Amino acid sequence: MLFNIDLHVHTDRSPDGCSTLLEIAAIAKLKGLHGLALTDHDIMMHEGDSMRLSRELGILVVPGVELTTEAGHLIILNPKRNLLGLSMKEAAHAASIDGSPIIIPHLMDPISHGIGEEQALSLLTYSPLIEVLNASTFSRYNHKASFFATSHSLPAVGGSDAHLADAVGDAYTVVDSPSLELGSVLAAISDGRTMPSGGRTSLATAAKTVFARFMKRISRA
Ligand SMILES: [Zn+2]
Ligand SMILES: [Zn+2]
């Protein structure tokens, strides 16, 4: 069966995230998503939390984290141990041992802390998935990431990188899984049974996000 899952979503737990999980889940369901991965910046989320949230919200919540490493950003789904503070390669190595899917987000976008081609090559041994469709980055960066994935026969995924609920599901991943149970979905992602879909976030929503981030920043100042 095919399930539409946004594999890159930030809540207001991220310093630059502006929507609550409740707001995000409501819009995700309205847009027909079956699930979303919570990938807040440097905030570990575990399987137990995601099971509880999935039940409460009525949508599959895949646990994840977007790590800030010395080389750039790296997404780990279903992390089994604390990965904060590790180098990019240490984190990828640990995730690989634990069977946690590794996603390289916005690979070619230097402004968004993409790790770039050279660093990505050093992760090939860990069979990462490549985010070839990030709704928040420029098309040219997505095209370059797509070329990299194809060149190295790596599975491709999509995600909104939403920092505001309106943008959730603008890009997502179609996952071919026998069921919507978390274990099945994670196994399908690990196997690369994934296809990116959707497009880029509209300029209006992008502008709304910039404004919301600004308001959050000044309210904290
Ligand atoms: Zn990022
Ligand atoms: Zn992100």
Side-chain angles (χ1 to χ4, degrees):
M1 295 172 74
L2 300 179
F3 297 105
N4 299 338
I5 304 176
D6 186 342
L7 292 180
H8 190 165
V9 178
H10 296 274
T11 72
D12 59 0
R13 297 205 308 164
S14 288
D16 53 357
C18 304
S19 297
T20 65
L21 178 54
L22 213 57
E23 293 166 335
I24 288 166
I27 291 196
K29 286 192 279 187
L30 271 179
K31 288 188 175 177
L33 289 182
H34 299 99
L36 48 92
L38 293 186
T39 56
D40 280 311
H41 295 291
D42 303 306
I43 296 174
M44 301 301 301
M45 189 189 182
H46 300 288
E47 202 170 333
D49 303 322
S50 85
M51 299 276 204
R52 179 179 53 78
L53 290 170
S54 299
R55 273 195 306 273
E56 287 174 9
L57 299 169
I59 187 168
L60 177 70
V61 175
V62 178
V65 61
E66 183 169 18
L67 296 171
T68 306
T69 76
E70 83 295 346
H73 288 176
L74 195 65
I75 289 178
I76 308 293
L77 298 182
N78 198 28
K80 303 277 192 190
R81 63 176 106 175
N82 185 6
L83 301 169
L84 303 182
L86 299 183
S87 71
M88 179 192 71
K89 283 197 86 169
E90 286 169 343
H93 185 70
S96 168
I97 288 171
D98 294 343
S100 304
I102 300 165
I103 298 175
I104 302 179
H106 44 68
L107 163 63
M108 298 296 191
D109 181 353
I111 301 158
S112 300
H113 308 286
I115 64 172
E117 187 167 1
E118 197 176 317
Q119 296 289 349
L121 287 172
S122 76
L123 295 185
L124 287 185
T125 178
Y126 302 117
S127 306
L129 298 106
I130 307 297
E131 186 188 68
V132 306
L133 179 54
N134 176 303
S136 304
T137 193
F138 293 110
S139 297
R140 65 177 182 277
Y141 293 137
N142 282 329
H143 291 150
K144 283 183 180 178
S146 184
F147 182 75
F148 181 87
T150 307
S151 304
H152 298 283
S153 303
L154 296 170
V157 299
S160 65
D161 204 357
H163 289 73
L164 190 71
D166 304 48
V168 169
D170 284 350
Y172 55 94
T173 303
V174 181
V175 180
D176 185 359
S177 167
S179 80
L180 196 52
E181 189 262 326
L182 179 63
S184 300
V185 167
L186 286 167
I189 293 170
S190 291
D191 289 351
R193 282 181 270 130
T194 57
M195 191 173 66
S197 193
R200 292 185 60 231
T201 291
S202 70
L203 274 179
T205 301
K208 203 172 161 187
T209 303
V210 169
F211 182 71
R213 278 175 163 178
F214 173 74
M215 293 305 288
K216 180 171 179 175
R217 208 173 309 134
I218 58 170
S219 73
R220 286 183 158 192

